[in-house]
């Protein structure tokens, strides 16, 4: 058995992550990660803008389905959280062989997980969206949308896995490039497949899901091509069949499951919140979804900083530099506080302007205006929560965030 040569981690990235100026290290890692997260949400925003032209029922269906799509993204954390924590830790310690082994094994495990999620999601899409007790037509449209979206779970797992491996290696720019390419394709396909322009079929809301699926497929292909061209600190072959160290896979899953469970509980809670909201009519459901889309600006910026924090913490802990890891977390919280504070002011002062970007229905605007103003009160603290969760994830200790997150999420139901 021959041993393949490994390529050293680029010295500039290591120097910056482990010993460079803290704010420079944070921003260098965070801005591409943040931009990637914002582009992720633009998939949904672009869908909503075009579907919104079809009327209240289609947009309510897509918004309601989005809560379930969040569950799908949360399930990917089973894979990606452990990948970032373990690969970054080994790279920080200079052990590229183990980092490579984890990347190869997690690739194959991700393919298995993607097939399982797709099968379960497609099979149970109607009962899942039925929990919200929406109008029959909204339920029908939403179930069709979810059927298409869940069929692409395998592609989504590959996307998220590729992004996680690059982030763990200190490269947040490559995922940004891939997601940007996929978003451009999604933006082009959306109106063509929703409205049936030219030779394309008119699939309405389902067309938005098809456009997103094609975009995820292209992103998955791009990640595979880039990785095969040795753009990582270690070579990967991405074989479909190969050795699996199940003890190591178990460790990776044990890191990812608490974060995934927290995300799934949060999403399931919102299914019930959406169900409560549906009692006030389709316009109220649309207002809830649009308000959440507006809030997602802060959520995703914070999450982008959190993903960067996870890699920074993991590599510094691997290098036995816990003081610097703590310093980077504290400085990241300060940066996120500035951003979320500014946007919170915009939420308070200009809620109607923000809502009208998505829809002109006066009933939706009236309901959403108060919702967005109330959201403004929590934005800074939400940023802290997300960044600190990223810090725990990078340290491979994800149980404390779960113990904090789940009770808070469940409390939303009786409060609502």
């Amino acid at each position: 058995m021959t041993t393949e040569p490994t390529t050293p981690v680029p010295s500039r990235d290591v120097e910056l992550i482990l010993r460079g100026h803290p704010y420079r290290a944070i921003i260098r890692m965070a801005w591409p990660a943040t931009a990637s997260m914002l582009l992720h949400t633009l998939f949904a925003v672009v869908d909503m803008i075009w579907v919104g032209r079809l009327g209240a029922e289609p947009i309510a269906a897509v918004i309601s389905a989005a809560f379930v799509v969040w569950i799908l993204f949360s399930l990917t954390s089973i894979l990606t959280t452990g990948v970032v924590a373990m690969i970054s830790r080994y790279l920080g310690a200079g052990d590229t062989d183990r980092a490579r082994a984890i990347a190869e094994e997690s690739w194959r495990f991700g393919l298995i997980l993607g097939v399982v999620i797709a099968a379960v999601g497609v099979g149970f899409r109607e009962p899942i969206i039925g929990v919200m007790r929406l109008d029959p037509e909204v339920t029908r449209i939403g179930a069709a949308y979810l059927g298409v979206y869940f069929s692409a779970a395998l592609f989504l797992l590959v996307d998220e896995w590729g992004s996680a491996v690059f982030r763990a290696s200190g490269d947040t720019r490559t995922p940004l490039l891939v997601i940007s390419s996929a978003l451009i394709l999604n933006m082009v396909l959306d109106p063509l497949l929703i409205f049936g322009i030219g030779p394309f079929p008119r699939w309405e809301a389902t067309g938005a899901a098809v456009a997103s699926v094609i975009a995820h497929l292209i992103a998955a292909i791009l990640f595979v091509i880039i990785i095969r061209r040795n753009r990582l600190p270690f070579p990967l072959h991405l074989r479909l069949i190969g050795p699996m160290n199940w003890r190591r896979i178990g460790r990776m899953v044990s890191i990812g499951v608490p974060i995934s469970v927290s995300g799934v509980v949060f999403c399931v809670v919102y299914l019930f919140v959406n169900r409560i909201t549906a009692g006030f009519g389709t316009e109220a459901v649309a207002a809830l979804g649009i308000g959440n889309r507006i809030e997602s600006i802060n959520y995703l910026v914070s999450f982008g900083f959190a993903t960067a924090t996870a890699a920074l913490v993991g590599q510094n802990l691997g290098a036995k530099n816990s003081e610097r890891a703590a310093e980077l977390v504290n400085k990241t919280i300060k940066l996120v506080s500035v951003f979320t504070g500014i946007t919170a002011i915009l939420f308070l002062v200009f809620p109607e302007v923000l809502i009208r970007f998505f829809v002109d229905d006066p009933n939706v605007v009236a309901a959403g205006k108060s919702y967005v103003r109330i959201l403004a009160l929590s934005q800074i603290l939400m940023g802290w929560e997300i960044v600190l969760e990223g810090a725990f994830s990078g340290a491979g200790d994800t149980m404390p965030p779960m113990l904090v997150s789940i009770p808070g999420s469940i409390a939303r139901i009786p409060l609502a």
Side-chain angles (χ1 to χ4, degrees):
M1 180 176 179
T2 58
T3 303
E4 297 165 347
T6 58
T7 306
V9 182
S11 59
R12 184 178 65 175
D13 288 343
V14 167
E15 192 67 28
L16 182 62
I17 291 171
L18 301 181
R19 288 171 287 277
H21 190 280
Y23 281 119
R24 188 180 167 212
I26 294 166
I27 292 172
R28 181 184 173 92
M29 287 284 291
W31 82 259
T34 300
S36 295
M37 295 307 303
L38 289 171
L39 289 175
H40 263 301
T41 199
L42 277 177
F43 275 111
V45 170
V46 169
D47 286 353
M48 285 174 56
I49 289 173
W50 288 115
V51 173
R53 304 299 186 264
L54 299 173
E57 287 181 339
I59 195 171
V62 172
I63 287 168
S64 300
F67 293 120
V68 184
V69 171
W70 288 356
I71 295 176
L72 173 56
F73 274 95
S74 295
L75 290 173
T76 67
S77 298
I78 295 173
L79 176 71
T80 58
T81 305
V83 166
V84 172
M86 296 179 73
I87 291 179
S88 63
R89 181 73 68 95
Y90 284 127
L91 288 178
D95 192 343
T96 55
D97 288 333
R98 286 192 181 180
R100 179 180 59 180
I102 292 167
E104 287 280 6
E105 291 164 1
S106 62
W107 151 257
R108 288 187 282 274
F109 178 74
L111 296 179
I112 297 170
L113 184 62
V115 171
V116 171
I117 292 174
V120 174
V122 171
F124 290 91
R125 65 189 185 278
E126 291 184 5
I128 292 172
I129 200 166
V131 168
M132 289 182 271
R133 294 184 180 176
L134 304 167
D135 290 343
E137 182 63 11
V138 176
T139 300
R140 183 192 67 79
I141 297 170
Y145 181 95
L146 286 177
V148 174
Y149 213 107
F150 268 106
S151 68
L154 177 61
F155 309 143
L156 179 59
L157 260 292
V158 173
D159 293 356
E160 294 296 302
W161 170 85
S163 181
V165 171
F166 277 103
R167 291 199 316 267
S169 304
D171 178 2
T172 53
R173 296 175 293 283
T174 297
L176 172 61
L177 191 63
V178 171
I179 296 301
S180 299
S181 302
L183 176 65
I184 291 170
L185 177 62
N186 187 69
M187 292 175 67
V188 171
L189 290 175
D190 254 343
L192 299 178
L193 296 175
I194 290 171
F195 301 109
I197 297 174
F200 294 90
R202 182 185 173 92
W203 282 333
E204 299 194 345
T206 303
V210 174
S212 296
V213 165
I214 294 172
H216 284 305
L217 170 61
I218 296 303
I221 292 171
L222 288 174
F223 270 123
V224 171
I225 292 172
I226 293 169
I227 288 171
R228 284 187 174 275
R229 291 182 178 177
N230 294 323
R231 291 286 302 275
L232 289 167
F234 40 79
L236 288 180
H237 296 295
L238 303 183
R239 296 187 180 95
L240 297 179
I241 300 175
M244 297 283 281
N245 185 326
W246 289 105
R247 185 175 180 180
R248 197 153 48 202
I249 293 292
R251 169 60 180 156
M252 181 186 69
V253 170
S254 71
I255 294 172
V257 163
I259 296 297
S260 180
V261 169
S262 298
V264 170
V265 169
F266 179 85
C267 297
V268 170
V269 164
Y270 257 99
L271 294 181
F272 285 96
V273 171
N274 208 53
R275 173 173 166 173
I276 294 169
T277 306
F280 296 92
T282 298
E283 290 83 3
V285 174
L288 174 67
I290 290 170
N292 285 331
R293 281 285 168 263
I294 293 169
E295 185 186 29
S296 70
I297 296 170
N298 277 340
Y299 178 87
L300 292 166
V301 167
S302 301
F303 199 84
F305 274 90
T307 57
T309 301
L312 291 167
V313 168
Q315 290 210 25
N316 276 280
L317 290 180
K320 311 296 184 185
N321 196 350
S322 58
E323 290 184 4
R324 177 171 171 82
E327 179 188 18
L328 291 169
V329 173
N330 288 328
K331 284 181 164 50
T332 302
I333 287 175
K334 291 178 182 178
L335 290 173
V336 168
S337 297
V338 172
F339 182 87
T340 53
I342 292 171
T343 53
I345 294 171
L346 295 177
F347 289 4
L348 284 170
V349 179
F350 303 109
E352 188 171 340
V353 174
L354 296 172
I355 294 167
R356 287 191 180 279
F357 180 76
F358 296 96
V359 68
D360 288 325
D361 188 306
N363 293 324
V364 175
V365 173
K369 187 163 62 173
S370 298
Y371 185 69
V372 171
R373 281 188 169 138
I374 294 168
L375 286 177
L377 305 177
S378 66
Q379 297 308 293
I380 293 176
L381 294 175
M382 181 186 72
W384 293 5
E385 177 188 0
I386 294 170
V387 170
L388 290 171
E389 181 178 289
F392 276 102
S393 297
D397 183 12
T398 50
M399 192 60 70
M402 185 186 78
L403 295 176
V404 170
S405 174
I406 289 180
S409 295
I410 293 175
R412 294 169 189 258
I413 295 176
L415 288 173

